Structures are given as C-alpha cells and as structure tokens.
C-alpha cells in the first residue's frame, strides 16, 4: 500500500537510515535525530510541492519509495529504498511502478528520472526492469553535489507504452 508518511513509520525509517549498507548510495547512514529531520522534510514536501516520497506498507513494516524533486534537482525523480529484510521480494519494483503511474498520470510529469550511483548495481537493475535507460551523469544540488550519479529515465509516453504491454 502506498500512502503519505506518518509518525508511526518513523521507527522503520530510522532503522533504514541507520543501516550503512542500505544508505551507501543515499548519502550515508543517519543518526536517529537526522533521520527524523529527513522524514519531516519529506513529509513537508507533500505540503509545498504536492508530492514526495511515499511510505510503502506491507502491513507489518514500511519502506520508502516515491516521486521526488527538491529545489535544484536535475529532473522529476521516482526513487526507491527498501529495508534490507524486504530486499529481493519485488516490493521496490511494485512500488516504483505505482509511483511511476502516479507521477505520469496524476502529477502529469512528461519525463521521469532515477538518479543512481554507477556502482549501485541493484538500483541499475531495477531501473532497467522499469524500462529506463542511462542518460548519463548529472549534478545534484548542494550538499549532494559531490555525489557521482547518472540520470536513468524515460518519457511518460515510453512508460505508458511499457505499462500497456504488461
């Protein structure tokens, strides 16, 4: 189930953010206090932009996947992150596909990207499974400008064609 982040999601979010391996390509592990500010910022983006990361709920736990475009971001992004204990179960694909549908059908985005570190093989595989292609290196805004990322992506028309064929 996709929904807006809620206070009850915080323990799962803080656990995800504290996992250095899971956060390797997402800016590094966070303390609980920093994770709280991060979750509050994402929830606030729903108010200021009308979209942000979703909470993905399996009933017993949460993982975060959804549309994203902070100020200065290189494009309209659907990103993902799944807690280690839920990796490999197809949740990231399912949620990313639903977020892609939301981004193009509800938000009206004409193009969707996924900013991915070139060493993040798992995210690259997921982007390819979604039908996205590597558009090359992009620069993220400060304080993330030093991150090495490529913008994988596709047009809304490409996404709709792919979904119709499924």
């Amino acid at each position: 189930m996709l929904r807006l982040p809620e206070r009850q999601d915080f323990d799962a979010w803080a656990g995800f953010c504290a996992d250095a391996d899971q956060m390797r390509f997402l800016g590094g592990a966070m303390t609980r206090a920093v994770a709280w500010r991060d979750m509050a910022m994402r929830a606030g983006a729903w108010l200021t932009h009308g979209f942000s990361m979703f909470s993905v709920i399996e009933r017993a736990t949460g993982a975060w996947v959804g549309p994203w475009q902070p100020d200065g971001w290189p494009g309209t992004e659907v990103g993902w992150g799944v807690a280690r204990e839920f990796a490999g179960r197809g949740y990231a694909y399912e949620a990313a596909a639903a977020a892609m549908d939301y981004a193009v059908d509800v938000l009206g985005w004409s193009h969707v990207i996924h900013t991915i570190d070139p060493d993040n093989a798992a995210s690259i595989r997921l982007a390819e499974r979604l039908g996205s292609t590597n558009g090359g290196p992009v620069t993220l805004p400060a304080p993330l400008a030093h991150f090495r990322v490529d913008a994988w992506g596709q047009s809304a028309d490409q996404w709709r064609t792919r979904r119709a064929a499924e």
Side-chain angles (χ1 to χ4, degrees):
M1 174 178 70
L2 292 179
R3 64 162 169 71
L4 277 63
E6 296 178 0
R7 172 66 178 96
Q8 69 213 33
D9 301 336
F10 179 63
D11 285 335
W13 178 246
F16 175 77
C17 291
D19 186 322
D21 190 51
Q22 292 294 99
M23 293 297 291
R24 176 177 167 210
F25 299 111
L26 300 173
M30 298 178 197
T31 64
R32 189 172 175 85
V34 173
W36 173 254
R37 287 191 296 275
D38 187 75
M39 185 173 143
M41 178 252 327
R42 293 173 193 279
W46 278 101
L47 295 173
T48 58
H49 282 288
F51 61 89
S52 184
M53 300 297 269
F54 290 103
S55 287
V56 178
I57 306 302
E58 185 205 37
R59 303 272 186 246
T61 189
W64 282 255
V65 180
W68 187 237
Q69 189 184 26
D71 188 51
W73 212 251
T76 47
E77 179 166 17
V78 167
W80 45 82
V82 178
R84 176 188 308 276
E85 62 269 25
F86 297 97
R89 296 187 190 180
Y91 294 135
Y93 176 81
E94 219 177 295
M100 294 278 288
D101 288 341
Y102 183 83
V104 301
D105 295 337
V106 177
L107 299 176
W109 290 0
S110 61
H111 191 81
V112 176
I113 66 167
H114 325 289
T115 55
I116 303 173
D117 184 297
D119 294 331
N120 189 342
S123 280
I124 290 170
R125 282 191 304 274
L126 179 51
E128 290 172 335
R129 187 171 171 208
L130 290 166
S132 293
T133 58
N134 190 342
V138 293
T139 302
L140 300 178
L144 309 174
H146 66 284
F147 283 18
R148 195 175 60 115
V149 295
D150 292 334
W152 288 75
Q154 61 187 292
S155 71
D157 289 339
Q158 289 169 317
W159 175 249
R160 286 186 190 107
T161 298
R162 180 175 184 79
R163 288 297 269 180
E166 288 184 348

